[in-house]
Amino acid sequence: MATAVKVSPAWIFQQNHGEIICSSWGSNKKSGFCSFTSVQRSMFNHGLRGMVRKEMRRSVVKGCQWNSNTNGEVKINGSCGKFYDIEEEDLRFVEVFREAQSCVYLHRGNTFVLLLSGEIVASPYLDAILKDIAFLHHLGIRFVIVPGTHVQIDKLLAERGHEPKYDGRYRITDSESLAAAMEAAGGIRLMIEAKLSPGPSICSIRRHGDSSRWHEVGVSVASGNFLAAKRRGVVEGVDYGATGEVKKVDVARMCERLDGGCIVILSNLGYSSSGEVLNCNTYEVATACALAIGADKLICIIDGPILDENGRLINFLPLQEADMLIRQRAKQSEIAAKYVKAVGEEDLTCLGHNDSIAVLHSLQNGQALNDTRNPTFQNGVGFDNGNGLWSGEQGFAIGGQERLSRQNGYLSELAAAAFVCRGGVQRVHLLDGTIGGVLLLELFKRDGMGTMVASDLYEGARMAKVADLAGIKQIIQPLEESGTLVRRSDEELLKALDSFIVMEREGHIIACAALFPFFKDRCGEVACIAVSPECRGQGQGDKLLDYIEKKASSIGLDMLFLLTTRTADWFVRRGFSVCTIDMIPDERRKKINLSRKSKYYMKKLIPARTGIIADRAFKWACNR
């Protein structure tokens, strides 16, 4: 039986692939004439995004025939069920949650040491950051928060008529400074605890019926004397007073609190074996903590971005490049010079890019640098640089007038990040806390929103696995459709998968390439270099090609060749020269599709001089 419904003129009906989209606005929002059965992504791909405004509601009815007459009545043939409205912002809310699923799974159970700079702690941006931390905590991420205090200490000293005193990276902590440091640390801890305490909203509790949680605290917070310190003492004639240096982090008791579901607040105040309170450097505390507990990430939220010389955000820095930047400034920056002294005179850049390919055989330990260049860290002892002597360095302190003046930008923070990467923490993120939601954007957007320093120099470069097949297909499909790459079936891709190299960033495949060796002719074919559209222009193609060249050289190949129809200029700029088909190995030449009229290019490889060992799986695949 047909049902007649009186419809307001404010309603618009638009048919889209057998679905009816009902939109309303104005005073008729609550009329509820149309129903939401399902919303498909295809709706947004057929010109509807511009039609639907924030104030507009819409509904979709499937399997119904709509008959309207000039009197404003609509007849619905068949049973369509109840009718509901939904706003676009609700659809977007659901879509974002679904997209974040893989990232939530990726980070769940990980331990992050999060440093809040003194400038951010004293700013209005702190509240939103703490809300995001609480949200991420409930998603299963374990946090150790290290708040900066120097802004509040300087403010308290100024209010009491005292000048802050610095020498190098450290504050000279006299009795007035110690009193201010204790007051600032205590006040900041209480403030953070208070802002993490709000529980579920009353509306949510009422809706979901769990009245026992009415007075529940949002996040459990733990703090305590987790930090053992020693006096810095008198250095080069300067008495640092009650300034402390990190001696040891109480990892066992901190992990007990983390395992119990608490967020740990680690103050910069340390405690000596004689019962003294010592004022330690916040960055030294955070870096020492990250190294001691084996954090998955160190995240530093600061008050500005890390920019290059052209004022553009540096999105990613391999440890090698960060190390090079810091060493270049060692003569102009005391903190950069202290970094070189702390990590040793060995320069990662002196090994060239060949050092980077060490990921071929060292990533089995989760580290990008092999053991001969990656010092061993031991909590309470420091670094063993391979000479049998332990440095005693626990963390990396930054501060003093150099950092406060910002004459070197954020070089100090970059030095701390490189120090931690050298010690074993694989990823360090430097985020601009003045950007709303920067922590969520960094963790859940593939390319993040800040600067990442990674000890994995090739950003997750590795041999492809079966699980990567879908990601590879997604990247190469547009290039196959445009004719740039030869079409490959799923079976062909799967068969050649052992020869593919992928770049992975935060669980996503962002680039791929293949190396097909011909050992008899001591050469190899470069094929299928492709980069995700979102990551183009960032040098990923160059990194892949460089990776392949080092890999080919490490397995004894002397030459690389390729076939191309659209990208000849790109390869010529990277050292490839045109050649004839006669120079292609016979085995490959027999399979060339001459109708594509491809151009042929070759490049002579520089012999490997780094003792790189190609992984056995790749050699086995090549010789099958």
Side-chain angles (χ1 to χ4, degrees):
M1 178 177 178
T3 304
V5 181
K6 185 70 175 181
V7 180
S8 166
W11 286 84
I12 296 176
F13 301 95
Q14 180 172 345
Q15 188 165 357
N16 180 47
H17 297 283
E19 300 180 357
I20 303 299
I21 301 165
C22 307
S23 304
S24 70
W25 60 90
S27 61
N28 219 13
K29 279 185 177 181
K30 297 183 180 180
S31 57
F33 286 140
C34 293
S35 70
F36 175 79
T37 305
S38 66
V39 178
Q40 297 183 351
R41 189 180 299 270
S42 60
M43 292 171 54
F44 296 94
N45 298 328
H46 291 84
L48 297 178
R49 187 183 296 274
M51 183 194 78
V52 184
R53 303 179 182 88
K54 182 177 180 181
E55 69 271 19
M56 186 184 300
R57 297 190 179 189
R58 63 184 168 194
S59 305
V60 178
V61 180
K62 280 188 169 182
C64 300
Q65 294 181 352
W66 290 71
N67 299 316
S68 60
N69 55 38
T70 56
N71 296 324
E73 289 188 353
V74 176
K75 293 184 178 181
I76 306 175
N77 296 324
S79 175
C80 294
K82 295 184 178 180
F83 294 97
Y84 302 95
D85 291 338
I86 188 165
E87 296 184 0
E88 174 160 1
E89 61 187 53
D90 294 330
L91 301 179
R92 180 60 183 157
F93 180 82
V94 173
E95 185 179 358
V96 168
F97 256 79
R98 288 172 177 165
E99 289 176 354
Q101 177 186 354
S102 61
C103 294
V104 171
Y105 176 77
L106 180 68
H107 297 309
R108 189 172 60 206
N110 286 353
T111 300
F112 297 168
V113 174
L114 192 144
L115 183 146
L116 298 169
S117 72
E119 292 80 7
I120 290 297
V121 171
S123 75
Y125 304 108
L126 180 64
D127 287 10
I129 292 171
L130 291 176
K131 287 181 180 178
D132 292 343
I133 291 172
F135 170 68
L136 294 170
H137 168 77
H138 290 305
L139 292 181
I141 298 176
R142 297 146 52 101
F143 280 102
V144 177
I145 301 176
V146 185
T149 59
H150 74 89
V151 173
Q152 286 83 347
I153 294 173
D154 289 350
K155 181 180 178 182
L156 288 171
L157 288 173
E159 290 173 353
R160 297 166 186 176
H162 299 285
E163 287 288 332
K165 302 173 186 177
Y166 294 95
D167 186 81
R169 299 176 291 165
Y170 292 91
R171 181 190 296 275
I172 298 176
T173 308
D174 53 21
S175 58
E176 292 83 7
S177 298
L178 181 60
M182 293 169 66
E183 183 176 337
I188 290 169
R189 177 180 60 81
L190 291 172
M191 176 186 63
I192 292 176
E193 288 178 354
K195 294 184 182 298
L196 291 175
S197 293
S201 68
I202 298 299
C203 294
S204 296
I205 292 175
R206 284 176 175 169
R207 177 173 180 81
H208 298 291
D210 191 358
S211 58
S212 65
R213 304 183 67 183
W214 276 54
H215 303 290
E216 188 173 299
V217 173
V219 176
S220 295
V221 179
S223 59
N225 56 340
F226 301 126
L227 190 67
K230 61 182 180 180
R231 278 183 176 268
R232 181 163 172 77
V234 179
V235 181
E236 296 181 354
V238 178
D239 186 352
Y240 286 87
T243 296
E245 293 181 338
V246 177
K247 186 176 181 181
K248 189 174 183 179
V249 177
D250 194 338
V251 173
R253 289 199 299 140
M254 286 180 60
C255 288
E256 284 179 4
R257 307 306 191 275
L258 292 171
D259 293 341
C262 294
I263 286 179
V264 172
I265 298 179
L266 183 60
S267 167
N268 69 303
L269 295 181
Y271 303 89
S272 72
S273 56
S274 60
E276 293 179 295
V277 177
L278 300 175
N279 178 36
C280 299
N281 181 278
T282 301
Y283 274 83
E284 184 177 359
V285 172
T287 52
C289 177
L291 291 168
I293 68 174
D296 296 285
K297 292 179 185 290
L298 170 63
I299 300 174
C300 303
I301 301 185
I302 55 182
D303 60 338
I306 309 294
L307 306 176
D308 63 15
E309 63 274 10
N310 297 315
R312 295 173 299 188
L313 176 69
I314 300 175
N315 186 261
F316 171 74
L317 270 177
L319 174 57
Q320 181 189 32
E321 294 181 16
D323 184 89
M324 177 181 65
L325 277 173
I326 298 163
R327 290 176 186 275
Q328 287 174 348
R329 304 293 293 274
K331 292 183 179 179
Q332 295 83 28
S333 164
E334 180 183 355
I335 291 176
K338 292 293 184 181
Y339 165 84
V340 175
K341 182 179 179 181
V343 302
E345 295 297 329
E346 178 190 19
D347 188 348
L348 291 176
T349 62
C350 71
L351 300 169
H353 290 294
N354 291 330
D355 163 72
S356 306
I357 204 68
V359 294
L360 287 176
H361 62 280
S362 63
L363 274 179
Q364 58 193 2
N365 299 322
Q367 305 296 333
L369 299 175
N370 63 33
D371 291 337
T372 61
R373 288 181 293 276
N374 199 23
T376 302
F377 176 81
Q378 183 175 328
N379 185 29
V381 180
F383 287 96
D384 175 12
N385 290 301
N387 56 8
L389 299 175
W390 293 82
S391 67
E393 198 87 35
Q394 295 297 304
F396 189 80
I398 69 173
Q401 294 300 329
E402 179 183 334
R403 178 174 180 271
L404 293 176
S405 69
R406 288 292 180 217
Q407 62 183 2
N408 287 316
Y410 290 92
L411 182 68
S412 303
E413 286 80 356
L414 194 60
F419 177 88
V420 170
C421 280
R422 288 286 295 251
V425 176
Q426 196 171 15
R427 306 265 169 127
V428 180
H429 301 256
L430 303 172
L431 309 182
D432 180 1
T434 65
I435 298 174
V438 67
L439 186 56
L440 300 180
L441 292 169
E442 179 69 10
L443 293 178
F444 294 142
K445 279 187 64 179
R446 183 171 65 183
D447 296 317
M449 188 55 73
T451 299
M452 180 174 69
V453 180
S455 56
D456 178 356
L457 300 183
Y458 272 94
E459 205 175 2
R462 57 173 174 78
M463 299 308 299
K465 302 178 293 188
V466 174
D468 302 324
L469 192 60
I472 293 173
K473 286 176 59 180
Q474 185 177 4
I475 293 174
I476 68 175
Q477 185 176 0
L479 297 175
E480 289 178 347
E481 292 174 352
S482 67
T484 304
L485 294 179
V486 176
R487 289 187 180 273
R488 292 172 172 83
S489 66
D490 290 354
E491 292 75 19
E492 290 173 327
L493 269 179
L494 187 61
K495 185 178 179 180
L497 197 62
D498 289 331
S499 298
F500 269 78
I501 298 160
V502 297
M503 280 190 169
E504 183 182 24
R505 179 189 292 171
E506 300 295 336
H508 298 276
I509 303 302
I510 63 170
C512 69
L515 172 61
F516 300 102
F518 295 84
F519 288 104
K520 182 180 178 181
D521 300 279
R522 296 183 64 84
C523 65
E525 180 182 8
V526 179
C528 207
I529 291 185
V531 179
S532 175
E534 298 87 353
C535 300
R536 290 173 189 166
Q538 301 175 12
Q540 304 298 342
D542 284 302
K543 292 177 184 178
L544 267 175
L545 182 59
D546 186 58
Y547 189 103
I548 287 173
E549 289 179 4
K550 303 301 183 298
K551 192 175 189 71
S553 182
S554 72
I555 59 176
L557 304 184
D558 297 329
M559 301 280 289
L560 289 178
F561 71 89
L562 59 91
L563 285 67
T564 183
T565 57
R566 305 278 296 276
T567 57
D569 291 342
W570 191 89
F571 286 103
V572 168
R573 291 188 63 190
R574 285 150 182 84
F576 283 80
S577 301
V578 67
C579 67
T580 64
I581 192 171
D582 297 327
M583 301 177 71
I584 306 299
D586 291 340
E587 182 182 349
R588 177 68 178 94
R589 191 163 61 235
K590 295 174 183 178
K591 300 177 182 179
I592 293 177
N593 180 1
L594 297 177
S595 65
R596 280 180 59 83
K597 298 183 178 180
S598 299
K599 304 295 182 182
Y600 312 102
Y601 291 84
M602 298 195 80
K603 179 178 182 179
K604 184 174 178 59
L605 295 174
I606 299 174
R609 296 188 179 95
T610 59
I612 298 167
I613 303 172
D615 53 318
R616 295 178 182 178
F618 180 75
K619 280 191 170 182
W620 177 80
C622 294
N623 290 315
R624 281 191 299 173

